[in-house]
Amino acid sequence: YQLDECLAVLNKLNIRALPVMKDEEPIALLSMRNIMWAQIENHEFTIDQLVRYVTNTHFQEPKESPKAVVRTYTHQSAETK
């Protein structure tokens, strides 16, 4: 899913976090704050690239590309309890 789609789901369901699933097991939680931080990083990266292009400095080393922030948690199965 795209970040905008995740925010739409959070708003529609009036919840603050979405579970990230792998093989029907929750592996992380994606909060509204995480999504907003990722969007800000994406926008800052885009702005930096546009400024480099407009000022003709795009040949210089770019900033590190944005990374989504996901807070993970340890899933403890029933067998390990």
Side-chain angles (χ1 to χ4, degrees):
Y1 292 94
Q2 298 291 320
L3 295 174
D4 292 338
E5 294 171 321
C6 292
L7 277 178
V9 170
L10 289 170
N11 288 328
K12 181 178 180 181
L13 299 177
N14 198 25
I15 56 177
R16 296 182 64 112
L18 291 173
V20 178
M21 309 292 283
K22 181 177 181 181
D23 299 325
E24 297 185 23
E25 290 288 324
I27 60 170
L29 288 175
L30 187 60
S31 72
M32 189 176 291
R33 178 179 284 176
N34 298 137
I35 295 169
M36 290 168 54
W37 282 344
Q39 284 186 318
I40 289 169
E41 286 182 4
N42 286 339
H43 292 154
E44 286 175 347
F45 182 76
T46 301
I47 290 167
D48 181 64
Q49 294 301 304
L50 289 169
V51 167
R52 287 173 179 277
Y53 179 75
V54 170
T55 61
N56 201 24
T57 58
H58 55 276
F59 55 86
Q60 296 174 354
E61 284 293 318
K63 289 184 180 177
E64 195 173 318
S65 57
K67 298 176 184 85
V69 178
V70 178
R71 181 166 294 162
T72 59
Y73 67 95
T74 306
H75 178 70
Q76 194 173 26
S77 64
E79 300 91 41
T80 61
K81 289 184 180 177

